[in-house]
Amino acid sequence: MISFKNDYSEGAYSSILEKIIQENTVQNTGYGEDAHCQKAIKAIQKKLNCFDCSIHFLVGGTQTNLIVISHCLKPYQAVIAAESGHINVHETGAIEATGHKVIAMPSKDGKLSVKMVEKALSTHTDEHMVQPKMVYISNPTEVGTLYSKKELEQLRDFCKQKDLLFYLDGARMASALAASFNDIALEEYQNLVDILYIGGTKCGALFGEAVVFFKKTLEEDFRFSIKQKGAMLAKGWLLGIQFETLFENNLYEKLGKHSNAMAENIQKAIAQKGYGFQFPPCSNQLFPIFPDEVFKKLEQQFEFTFWEKIDDSHTSVRIVTSWATKEEDVKQLIEAIQKA
Amino acid sequence: MISFKNDYSEGAYSSILEKIIQENTVQNTGYGEDAHCQKAIKAIQKKLNCFDCSIHFLVGGTQTNLIVISHCLKPYQAVIAAESGHINVHETGAIEATGHKVIAMPSKDGKLSVKMVEKALSTHTDEHMVQPKMVYISNPTEVGTLYSKKELEQLRDFCKQKDLLFYLDGARMASALAASFNDIALEEYQNLVDILYIGGTKCGALFGEAVVFFKKTLEEDFRFSIKQKGAMLAKGWLLGIQFETLFENNLYEKLGKHSNAMAENIQKAIAQKGYGFQFPPCSNQLFPIFPDEVFKKLEQQFEFTFWEKIDDSHTSVRIVTSWATKEEDVKQLIEAIQKA
Amino acid sequence: MISFKNDYSEGAYSSILEKIIQENTVQNTGYGEDAHCQKAIKAIQKKLNCFDCSIHFLVGGTQTNLIVISHCLKPYQAVIAAESGHINVHETGAIEATGHKVIAMPSKDGKLSVKMVEKALSTHTDEHMVQPKMVYISNPTEVGTLYSKKELEQLRDFCKQKDLLFYLDGARMASALAASFNDIALEEYQNLVDILYIGGTKCGALFGEAVVFFKKTLEEDFRFSIKQKGAMLAKGWLLGIQFETLFENNLYEKLGKHSNAMAENIQKAIAQKGYGFQFPPCSNQLFPIFPDEVFKKLEQQFEFTFWEKIDDSHTSVRIVTSWATKEEDVKQLIEAIQKA
Amino acid sequence: MISFKNDYSEGAYSSILEKIIQENTVQNTGYGEDAHCQKAIKAIQKKLNCFDCSIHFLVGGTQTNLIVISHCLKPYQAVIAAESGHINVHETGAIEATGHKVIAMPSKDGKLSVKMVEKALSTHTDEHMVQPKMVYISNPTEVGTLYSKKELEQLRDFCKQKDLLFYLDGARMASALAASFNDIALEEYQNLVDILYIGGTKCGALFGEAVVFFKKTLEEDFRFSIKQKGAMLAKGWLLGIQFETLFENNLYEKLGKHSNAMAENIQKAIAQKGYGFQFPPCSNQLFPIFPDEVFKKLEQQFEFTFWEKIDDSHTSVRIVTSWATKEEDVKQLIEAIQKA
């Protein structure tokens, strides 16, 4: 059965695998202290147009979030997130396991606003409560929505004013960058956030995430944190090779565009049939609301994720495309939607 | 420069990479719930001759140790290890970061004996001290030595008697199995330890470690611990493919044999020159004691690890071979030793 | 200025201090292994009419909650609480600091219902999310409300059905027991909850809380947890003496009655003036809604806690009475309310 | 049976209890924000001759150590201590439970030397190992020995040079100050250590320890750490009253002198009989080595602690005196020693 369940059902973009094979018998220094990691760092710095930021490579997303957050916070400090934020819901309490509370704010569209952060601060005022110290957002969010540059600027300004760290989880950054709604270039992030996580796993790599510290003081001794949390890959050059390949020659952007184009095709077909969306479609995740009989027909032919029962006769689902989504699979899905 | 620095300087054995390429565009279920992981589990169970043990795949060694240990212990319980044990020295306090003390016992050969465990128990007697609950050993040890079956039986019996869990870190298990001193078959481990970690990263895989729980009760909810510690690989089938390949058709044993054979050649050349060893050479790690002038000559041509200053004119070093060590590189090293 | 700010502004009931003085020069065994703790345990067991429960004494409330919860849960397990629950709001992330998520459910009256617990379970379904394992409630709640026996029975039944531990924080248990709305005798708690915390600090003691484990298996090695969290009082008999005194001869009940009687007098005066309450007045905490000009007049004469701005012209406050509240102080407050 | 088992078998010095009684019905602000704590802080600052240090009061010793250490260290940092240090042995892994390794150095006399600290640093050199960041010592040590001013100066200088924090646990500081070997006045500590813990529990208080931060930056947000670890006493003025009383009018010194005088009398009697000591007698803890028949006779009449079997016919024990030790009890013990 064709799956639109997520963006990590296939391996890696072909050129990444080729580079890994090519390097397979070369002896490389371990633990990320190799030439490929250095090249990858330079390639990303160039794309960010920022040459004094610090970059580290990690294997997965939950790992990245827990290491970054626990590295930056003091024991009694907390991180503010949207209630639907990955760290609040889908990381099995990984942040709390490092000792920190996630202050979760209800949000309708998966985004965090200055008002929400303000409210979190206003209810945490002294030493009988945790001390909010970091703001965590995802872009695209867990429900596929996107922040505008203005929204990020507002959050950034508020964070600066309140001395909060601002951390952006870009597990699907390739899709954000390629989105038609997007008005933030990669090189602008240095002026928007303190720490940026650029995702690889969901954007063409076999695995791997890049963490960018724009504030160098935050990054001090970060390799100790990586090692302590069991995240220092022995053959670290595997991460280097992947990000080197993704960020030289615009592969990352290209893969994001493909992913979004596939989603857009599906989205149009759904809209043409008059079906609505639970969240505005912006990136490679779609949340259409299907009449139940349509939902039942589609789930017999395709894999996707049940999201929510909307009312007695309607159901929302999550459909995800990726760098690996095949045009013919999308065509099949569209035909099925049209017929259903 | 040719490196004998460690056993993770190259990628993966060719057939593993080939299998990954072959599967690259197939859609697989995420998070280790795919068919390859199932096949790999079956292949390992067959080698262990034990079909009701539980097996999970993780990415790296420190990660494996911290998840296994924190999963099994209650907050006030501690793990006993040799002072030179990986968890005590080279994991940046990963075990302590999950809340548990490592009770480190001095050991001359990297091994733990019943007597040492007994001493650890005798000094931890009530609630003012941590409660020893697990015994951690590595086989081969961090200094390349091996346990005999009798030694493991004695430790096992003592652990049973004292209600201690017995956990064996086999990061280099392929080398242990292939060692001429070894008298323990893989299928005997089910009667010797409670939890067995079979290493992949240092034994032919790109990355990956397999954890085997012979006591099923210990394994309950282990996937929660994996996820919480950021160790649940999205594309989990990558681990499945690797262990499937390693454990079908005796590849794991074959690679261990190559690794040890390379070490044995080097060892013989060293012994012929009359140089001694800091630890008895048993597996793929050698710790020769070189006269300083020999040491200086060799380090200009080869990479290996300085270990210790033995006396005014002698130095011990660590030389490591692996599944990827080339015969011609070994020849060069031997010639250099002979000439030096 | 007379304070109605909380129930821990004074020392201890006179007979408790007298007993401490009387025992001051006697040599007692340390760490709670003395005769007074034994007597106190027996006295409480008698009141509970339950002679095989295990009882431990601790110094403070946050300490008690963090030790009980971290002792009972596995690393990936979470505790469900009302959003207003003490562990969620006013313990500076103490529970999270031991590694556990608090699943906070919105609640209008500070109470948790079966429906809320059910909802928490329904959104935590697999290993990508924490595993809910304990239900935490306070009685009286943080907003002074009380559970009925029926409500506790429903929660208990649901917890049993879902294999959840049921823990009741009775920091103000004396006030709960003395409340006119209360229909639960102390000896009935053994059939209602798994773990009961009977408060001393806010109920007549200098300091001290008693933890009762009705399930003995939960209590195993609890003294290790006490010591590890820095909560094993060297002169543990100080706790024994206090609980001995409180639970022999009905002192605990008597002090609760006084506290509630004082609150009732104030409540009547407020009601007579036609002012409402934000939460139904049940125990020794009142949350009247004053017109702002009344609020301003009262706060010049008395200390109490601003709670919330209700609307443009009204404010709710928290007024707390205790075992130590003087009748003449209550009279003064009532007169001030009548005049305001 | 008369006990010389420890220095926390009795309550508090009479004037402390009297002050508590006197204040019992007065309304005080909670959580240490009362006038007594302020007065106590001023009284201690005066004794330290240091008016810009920050002082906090806690209930017990393990609590103090775990809060200070976890507050000051980053997750991957470790504390160096003598193997016999309280934090390494007798706190049930409290430090590790907050995530930090204790690097324990073998020591014959319970003291830590620059050489030992140097060795700890030399074996912790990169991110694969924890990062040593704090030196912990006790004065008097756990075996009753004392540091000289010169020794502390050497440690201080080395700590400064290596950017290590220097923390002194003075649980028995009254005994250190009163010791004939002591050459360090309380007011000199500001120039010797970064953080000083002045013990109350073992020096005349019912309970309570004072933490002095000479470096104000270290103390930032310390009240958050106190609260999070469950150590913020609701009726914090109880701590204030006790330290106020101990540090006004030289009571602390006086009680230390009594304690040491009692020990000295016992020590002389032991020496006169020709018995040796396992550790040099300096303070209120003595570790005589008795012939086994003497040991057996004495333990029938007195309580003290078995320490170690020295040889086939000798046993060392721990005898502790305190502010509360009665002269007549000491006489009885001396007579028994003389007769035995």
Side-chain angles (χ1 to χ4, degrees):
Chain A
M1 202 165 5
I2 301 166
S3 171
F4 292 94
K5 222 172 162 182
N6 56 49
D7 31 17
Y8 38 89
S9 295
E10 289 92 355
Y13 189 72
S14 53
S15 60
I16 288 176
L17 271 192
E18 282 156 21
K19 194 78 189 284
I20 288 175
I21 294 157
Q22 188 184 314
E23 279 287 319
N24 191 47
T25 57
V26 178
Q27 290 193 316
N28 270 294
T29 308
Y31 303 119
E33 301 189 304
D34 61 282
H36 295 290
C37 284
Q38 282 312 307
K39 279 188 202 165
I41 287 170
K42 294 231 164 82
I44 294 175
Q45 285 180 331
K46 205 174 156 192
K47 291 281 180 195
L48 292 166
N49 194 26
C50 174
F51 300 90
D52 63 348
C53 58
S54 300
I55 300 180
H56 297 268
F57 302 109
L58 295 163
V59 170
T62 296
Q63 188 180 75
T64 300
N65 287 332
L66 82 87
I67 297 175
V68 166
I69 294 171
S70 70
H71 182 78
C72 293
L73 299 187
K74 293 189 178 167
Y76 48 84
Q77 293 177 333
V79 54
I80 301 168
E83 207 170 51
S84 51
H86 204 260
I87 57 167
N88 189 47
V89 185
H90 279 102
E91 303 192 349
T92 317
I95 306 307
E96 290 87 353
T98 67
H100 302 282
K101 195 181 190 76
V102 178
I103 301 176
M105 305 306 292
S107 164
K108 285 194 175 163
D109 58 1
K111 294 200 272 180
L112 207 58
S113 67
V114 168
K115 215 174 160 183
M116 292 177 207
V117 179
E118 213 161 12
K119 199 185 164 192
L121 295 192
S122 77
T123 53
H124 292 83
T125 52
D126 67 31
E127 68 263 23
H128 295 265
M129 287 150 273
V130 290
Q131 186 181 86
K133 184 65 187 172
M134 182 184 267
V135 167
Y136 164 95
I137 62 166
S138 325
N139 196 30
T141 68
E142 292 74 10
V143 295
T145 51
L146 282 178
Y147 284 86
S148 70
K149 198 196 295 182
K150 201 177 164 188
E151 287 169 332
L152 289 196
E153 285 168 348
Q154 287 169 340
L155 281 166
R156 173 202 64 191
D157 291 348
F158 189 74
C159 285
K160 279 206 178 147
Q161 188 192 325
K162 298 297 184 184
D163 200 22
L164 297 169
L165 301 172
F166 192 15
Y167 170 42
L168 192 147
D169 171 342
R172 296 185 170 96
M173 179 53 80
S175 177
L177 294 173
S180 55
F181 289 115
N182 179 54
D183 63 353
I184 315 168
L186 199 48
E187 63 185 58
E188 293 177 289
Y189 277 101
Q190 60 178 302
N191 299 318
L192 294 170
V193 301
D194 297 313
I195 310 162
L196 177 65
Y197 142 23
I198 301 173
T201 299
K202 294 169 178 167
C203 303
L206 264 188
F207 56 86
E209 325 294 331
V211 180
V212 185
F213 288 92
F214 293 116
K215 271 193 187 172
K216 277 224 162 179
T217 51
L218 290 175
E219 182 254 8
E220 199 191 357
D221 292 331
F222 191 62
R223 282 177 61 82
F224 284 83
S225 283
I226 293 177
K227 177 69 187 170
Q228 186 183 64
K229 303 308 185 203
M232 192 170 276
L233 194 65
K235 303 177 188 175
W237 67 86
L238 293 171
L239 292 163
I241 288 172
Q242 296 187 75
F243 277 94
E244 197 186 343
T245 313
L246 283 171
F247 281 87
E248 288 173 351
N249 307 318
N250 305 318
L251 180 57
Y252 196 70
E253 290 87 333
K254 183 184 137 186
L255 297 179
K257 272 177 197 158
H258 174 80
S259 176
N260 284 14
M262 295 299 99
E264 217 174 307
N265 291 347
I266 298 167
Q267 175 219 324
K268 279 178 188 159
I270 292 168
Q272 271 175 346
K273 288 280 285 190
Y275 307 144
F277 293 85
Q278 194 174 355
F279 308 104
C282 304
S283 56
N284 72 322
Q285 296 190 83
L286 302 173
F287 295 80
I289 299 169
F290 289 129
D292 285 353
E293 66 277 11
V294 175
F295 166 59
K296 274 168 206 163
K297 275 185 202 161
L298 292 175
E299 70 171 354
Q300 283 165 353
Q301 289 174 269
F302 302 93
E303 279 191 89
F304 41 74
T305 309
F306 165 85
W307 200 253
E308 225 175 289
K309 202 83 194 74
I310 297 293
D311 60 32
D312 276 3
S313 57
H314 291 82
T315 298
S316 68
V317 305
R318 187 180 77 153
I319 292 174
V320 189
T321 59
S322 83
W323 60 275
T325 303
K326 290 169 196 149
E327 296 209 26
E328 61 260 35
D329 290 352
V330 168
K331 269 185 200 154
Q332 276 196 43
L333 176 59
I334 288 173
E335 279 172 28
I337 290 167
Q338 286 166 340
K339 279 188 212 156
Chain B
M1 200 162 8
I2 299 166
S3 171
F4 292 93
K5 222 174 161 180
N6 56 50
D7 31 17
Y8 39 89
S9 294
E10 289 92 355
Y13 189 72
S14 53
S15 60
I16 287 176
L17 271 192
E18 283 156 20
K19 195 73 189 284
I20 287 176
I21 294 156
Q22 188 184 313
E23 280 287 320
N24 191 46
T25 56
V26 178
Q27 290 194 315
N28 270 294
T29 307
Y31 303 117
E33 302 189 304
D34 61 283
H36 295 290
C37 285
Q38 282 313 307
K39 279 189 203 166
I41 288 170
K42 294 231 164 82
I44 294 175
Q45 285 180 331
K46 205 175 156 191
K47 290 281 180 196
L48 292 166
N49 194 26
C50 174
F51 300 90
D52 63 346
C53 58
S54 299
I55 301 180
H56 296 269
F57 302 109
L58 296 163
V59 170
T62 296
Q63 188 179 76
T64 300
N65 287 332
L66 82 86
I67 297 176
V68 166
I69 293 171
S70 70
H71 183 78
C72 293
L73 299 186
K74 293 189 178 168
Y76 48 85
Q77 293 178 332
V79 54
I80 302 168
E83 206 169 52
S84 51
H86 204 260
I87 57 167
N88 188 47
V89 185
H90 279 102
E91 302 192 349
T92 318
I95 306 307
E96 290 87 353
T98 67
H100 302 282
K101 195 180 191 78
V102 178
I103 302 176
M105 305 307 292
S107 164
K108 284 192 176 166
D109 59 0
K111 293 200 272 181
L112 206 59
S113 67
V114 168
K115 214 174 161 181
M116 293 176 205
V117 179
E118 212 160 12
K119 198 183 165 194
L121 294 192
S122 76
T123 53
H124 291 84
T125 52
D126 67 30
E127 69 263 23
H128 294 267
M129 287 151 273
V130 290
Q131 186 182 84
K133 183 65 186 173
M134 183 185 266
V135 167
Y136 165 95
I137 63 167
S138 324
N139 196 31
T141 68
E142 292 74 9
V143 294
T145 51
L146 282 179
Y147 285 86
S148 69
K149 198 196 295 185
K150 201 178 165 186
E151 286 170 332
L152 288 197
E153 285 169 347
Q154 287 168 341
L155 280 166
R156 172 203 64 191
D157 291 348
F158 189 74
C159 285
K160 279 207 177 146
Q161 187 191 323
K162 298 297 184 185
D163 201 22
L164 299 169
L165 300 172
F166 192 16
Y167 170 42
L168 191 147
D169 172 342
R172 295 184 170 96
M173 179 53 79
S175 177
L177 293 174
S180 54
F181 290 114
N182 180 54
D183 62 352
I184 315 168
L186 199 49
E187 62 184 60
E188 293 178 289
Y189 277 101
Q190 60 177 301
N191 299 318
L192 294 170
V193 301
D194 297 314
I195 311 162
L196 177 66
Y197 143 22
I198 302 173
T201 299
K202 294 168 177 169
C203 304
L206 264 189
F207 56 86
E209 326 293 331
V211 180
V212 185
F213 289 92
F214 293 116
K215 270 192 188 174
K216 277 224 160 178
T217 51
L218 291 174
E219 182 254 8
E220 198 190 359
D221 292 332
F222 192 62
R223 282 177 62 82
F224 284 83
S225 283
I226 293 176
K227 178 67 188 174
Q228 187 184 64
K229 304 307 186 203
M232 191 170 278
L233 195 64
K235 302 177 188 175
W237 68 86
L238 293 170
L239 292 163
I241 288 173
Q242 296 188 75
F243 278 94
E244 197 186 340
T245 312
L246 283 171
F247 281 87
E248 287 175 352
N249 306 319
N250 305 319
L251 179 58
Y252 197 70
E253 291 87 333
K254 183 184 137 187
L255 297 180
K257 272 178 196 157
H258 175 81
S259 175
N260 284 14
M262 294 300 98
E264 217 174 309
N265 291 347
I266 299 168
Q267 176 219 324
K268 280 178 189 159
I270 292 167
Q272 271 175 348
K273 287 281 284 191
Y275 306 143
F277 291 85
Q278 192 174 355
F279 308 104
C282 305
S283 56
N284 72 321
Q285 295 190 84
L286 302 173
F287 295 79
I289 299 169
F290 290 128
D292 284 351
E293 65 277 11
V294 174
F295 167 57
K296 274 168 205 162
K297 275 185 203 160
L298 292 175
E299 70 170 353
Q300 283 165 355
Q301 291 174 267
F302 302 92
E303 279 193 89
F304 42 73
T305 309
F306 164 85
W307 200 252
E308 225 175 289
K309 202 83 194 75
I310 296 295
D311 60 30
D312 275 3
S313 58
H314 291 81
T315 298
S316 69
V317 305
R318 187 181 78 153
I319 291 174
V320 189
T321 59
S322 83
W323 60 275
T325 303
K326 291 172 194 146
E327 297 210 26
E328 61 261 33
D329 291 352
V330 167
K331 269 187 198 153
Q332 277 196 41
L333 176 60
I334 287 173
E335 279 172 27
I337 290 168
Q338 286 166 341
K339 280 188 210 155
Chain C
M1 200 163 9
I2 300 166
S3 171
F4 291 94
K5 223 174 162 180
N6 58 48
D7 31 17
Y8 40 89
S9 295
E10 290 92 353
Y13 190 71
S14 53
S15 60
I16 288 176
L17 272 192
E18 282 156 21
K19 195 76 190 284
I20 288 175
I21 295 156
Q22 187 185 313
E23 279 287 320
N24 191 47
T25 56
V26 178
Q27 290 194 316
N28 270 293
T29 307
Y31 302 119
E33 302 189 303
D34 61 282
H36 295 290
C37 284
Q38 282 313 307
K39 279 188 201 164
I41 288 170
K42 294 231 164 82
I44 294 174
Q45 286 179 329
K46 206 174 156 191
K47 290 282 180 194
L48 292 166
N49 194 26
C50 175
F51 300 90
D52 64 348
C53 59
S54 298
I55 301 178
H56 297 268
F57 301 109
L58 295 163
V59 170
T62 296
Q63 188 180 75
T64 300
N65 287 331
L66 81 87
I67 298 176
V68 166
I69 293 171
S70 70
H71 183 78
C72 292
L73 298 186
K74 294 189 177 167
Y76 47 85
Q77 293 178 332
V79 55
I80 302 168
E83 207 170 52
S84 52
H86 204 261
I87 57 167
N88 188 48
V89 185
H90 279 102
E91 302 192 350
T92 318
I95 306 307
E96 290 86 353
T98 67
H100 302 282
K101 195 180 189 76
V102 178
I103 302 176
M105 305 307 292
S107 165
K108 285 194 174 163
D109 59 0
K111 294 199 270 180
L112 207 57
S113 67
V114 167
K115 215 174 160 182
M116 292 178 207
V117 179
E118 214 160 12
K119 198 183 164 193
L121 294 193
S122 76
T123 53
H124 291 84
T125 52
D126 67 31
E127 68 263 23
H128 294 266
M129 286 150 274
V130 290
Q131 186 181 86
K133 184 64 188 173
M134 183 185 266
V135 167
Y136 164 93
I137 61 166
S138 326
N139 197 28
T141 68
E142 292 75 8
V143 294
T145 51
L146 281 178
Y147 284 87
S148 69
K149 198 197 293 184
K150 200 176 165 188
E151 287 169 331
L152 288 196
E153 285 168 347
Q154 287 168 341
L155 281 166
R156 172 202 64 191
D157 291 347
F158 189 74
C159 285
K160 280 205 177 147
Q161 188 193 324
K162 299 297 184 184
D163 201 22
L164 298 169
L165 300 172
F166 192 15
Y167 169 42
L168 191 148
D169 172 340
R172 296 185 170 96
M173 180 53 80
S175 176
L177 293 173
S180 54
F181 289 113
N182 179 54
D183 62 353
I184 315 167
L186 199 48
E187 62 185 59
E188 293 178 289
Y189 276 101
Q190 60 177 302
N191 299 319
L192 294 170
V193 300
D194 297 313
I195 310 161
L196 176 66
Y197 142 22
I198 302 173
T201 300
K202 293 168 178 168
C203 304
L206 264 189
F207 56 86
E209 325 294 331
V211 180
V212 185
F213 289 92
F214 292 117
K215 270 193 189 174
K216 277 223 161 180
T217 51
L218 292 174
E219 182 254 8
E220 197 190 359
D221 292 331
F222 192 62
R223 282 177 61 83
F224 284 83
S225 283
I226 294 176
K227 177 70 188 171
Q228 187 184 65
K229 304 307 186 203
M232 192 171 276
L233 194 65
K235 302 177 188 176
W237 68 86
L238 292 171
L239 292 163
I241 288 173
Q242 296 187 75
F243 278 93
E244 196 186 343
T245 313
L246 282 171
F247 281 86
E248 287 174 352
N249 307 317
N250 305 319
L251 179 58
Y252 197 69
E253 291 88 331
K254 183 183 138 187
L255 297 180
K257 274 179 194 157
H258 174 81
S259 176
N260 285 13
M262 295 299 98
E264 217 174 309
N265 290 347
I266 298 168
Q267 176 219 325
K268 279 178 188 162
I270 292 168
Q272 271 175 348
K273 286 281 287 189
Y275 306 143
F277 291 86
Q278 193 174 355
F279 308 105
C282 303
S283 56
N284 72 321
Q285 294 191 83
L286 303 173
F287 295 79
I289 300 168
F290 290 128
D292 285 353
E293 66 277 10
V294 174
F295 166 58
K296 275 168 204 164
K297 274 185 203 161
L298 291 175
E299 71 170 354
Q300 283 166 353
Q301 289 174 270
F302 302 92
E303 279 192 89
F304 42 73
T305 310
F306 164 85
W307 201 252
E308 226 175 288
K309 201 82 195 75
I310 297 293
D311 60 32
D312 276 4
S313 57
H314 291 81
T315 298
S316 69
V317 304
R318 187 181 77 152
I319 292 175
V320 189
T321 59
S322 83
W323 60 275
T325 303
K326 289 170 196 149
E327 296 210 26
E328 61 261 35
D329 290 352
V330 169
K331 269 186 199 157
Q332 277 195 42
L333 176 60
I334 289 174
E335 280 172 26
I337 291 168
Q338 286 167 341
K339 278 188 212 158
Chain D
M1 200 163 8
I2 300 167
S3 170
F4 291 94
K5 221 173 163 181
N6 58 48
D7 31 17
Y8 39 89
S9 295
E10 290 92 354
Y13 189 71
S14 53
S15 60
I16 287 176
L17 271 193
E18 282 157 19
K19 195 74 189 284
I20 288 175
I21 294 156
Q22 187 184 314
E23 279 287 321
N24 191 46
T25 56
V26 177
Q27 290 194 315
N28 270 293
T29 306
Y31 303 118
E33 301 189 304
D34 61 282
H36 295 289
C37 285
Q38 283 313 308
K39 280 188 201 165
I41 288 170
K42 295 231 164 82
I44 294 174
Q45 285 180 329
K46 206 175 157 191
K47 291 281 180 194
L48 292 165
N49 193 27
C50 175
F51 299 92
D52 63 346
C53 59
S54 298
I55 301 178
H56 296 268
F57 302 109
L58 296 163
V59 170
T62 297
Q63 188 179 76
T64 300
N65 287 332
L66 82 88
I67 298 175
V68 166
I69 293 170
S70 70
H71 183 78
C72 293
L73 299 186
K74 292 188 179 168
Y76 48 85
Q77 294 178 330
V79 54
I80 302 168
E83 207 169 51
S84 51
H86 204 261
I87 58 167
N88 188 48
V89 186
H90 278 102
E91 303 192 349
T92 317
I95 306 308
E96 290 87 353
T98 67
H100 303 282
K101 195 180 189 76
V102 178
I103 302 175
M105 305 307 292
S107 165
K108 284 193 174 165
D109 59 0
K111 294 199 272 181
L112 207 58
S113 67
V114 168
K115 215 175 160 181
M116 292 177 206
V117 179
E118 214 161 12
K119 198 183 165 194
L121 293 192
S122 76
T123 53
H124 290 84
T125 53
D126 67 30
E127 68 264 22
H128 295 266
M129 287 150 274
V130 290
Q131 185 182 84
K133 184 64 187 174
M134 183 185 266
V135 167
Y136 165 94
I137 62 166
S138 324
N139 197 30
T141 69
E142 293 74 9
V143 295
T145 51
L146 282 179
Y147 284 86
S148 69
K149 198 196 294 185
K150 201 178 166 185
E151 287 169 332
L152 288 197
E153 285 168 347
Q154 288 169 340
L155 281 166
R156 173 203 62 191
D157 291 348
F158 189 73
C159 285
K160 280 206 176 147
Q161 188 192 323
K162 299 296 184 184
D163 201 22
L164 299 169
L165 300 173
F166 192 15
Y167 170 42
L168 192 148
D169 172 343
R172 294 183 170 98
M173 179 53 79
S175 177
L177 293 174
S180 54
F181 290 113
N182 179 55
D183 63 353
I184 315 167
L186 199 48
E187 62 184 61
E188 292 177 290
Y189 276 101
Q190 60 177 302
N191 298 319
L192 295 169
V193 300
D194 297 314
I195 311 162
L196 177 66
Y197 143 22
I198 303 173
T201 300
K202 293 168 179 169
C203 304
L206 262 189
F207 57 86
E209 325 294 331
V211 180
V212 185
F213 289 91
F214 292 116
K215 271 192 188 174
K216 277 224 162 179
T217 51
L218 291 175
E219 182 254 9
E220 198 189 0
D221 292 332
F222 192 62
R223 282 177 60 83
F224 284 83
S225 282
I226 294 177
K227 177 67 189 172
Q228 187 184 62
K229 304 306 185 203
M232 191 170 277
L233 195 65
K235 302 177 187 175
W237 68 85
L238 292 170
L239 292 163
I241 288 173
Q242 296 187 76
F243 277 94
E244 195 186 344
T245 313
L246 283 170
F247 281 86
E248 287 174 353
N249 307 319
N250 305 319
L251 178 58
Y252 197 69
E253 291 87 333
K254 184 183 135 187
L255 297 180
K257 274 178 193 156
H258 174 81
S259 176
N260 283 15
M262 294 299 98
E264 217 175 309
N265 291 347
I266 298 168
Q267 176 219 324
K268 281 179 188 159
I270 292 168
Q272 271 176 347
K273 287 280 286 191
Y275 306 144
F277 291 85
Q278 192 174 355
F279 308 105
C282 304
S283 56
N284 71 322
Q285 295 190 84
L286 303 173
F287 295 79
I289 299 169
F290 289 129
D292 284 352
E293 67 275 12
V294 174
F295 167 57
K296 274 168 205 162
K297 274 186 203 162
L298 292 175
E299 70 170 353
Q300 284 166 354
Q301 290 174 268
F302 301 92
E303 278 192 273
F304 42 73
T305 309
F306 164 85
W307 200 251
E308 227 176 286
K309 201 83 195 75
I310 296 294
D311 61 31
D312 275 3
S313 57
H314 291 80
T315 297
S316 69
V317 304
R318 187 180 77 153
I319 291 174
V320 189
T321 59
S322 83
W323 60 275
T325 303
K326 289 171 196 148
E327 296 209 25
E328 61 261 34
D329 291 352
V330 168
K331 269 187 200 156
Q332 276 196 42
L333 175 60
I334 288 174
E335 280 173 27
I337 290 168
Q338 286 167 340
K339 277 189 211 157

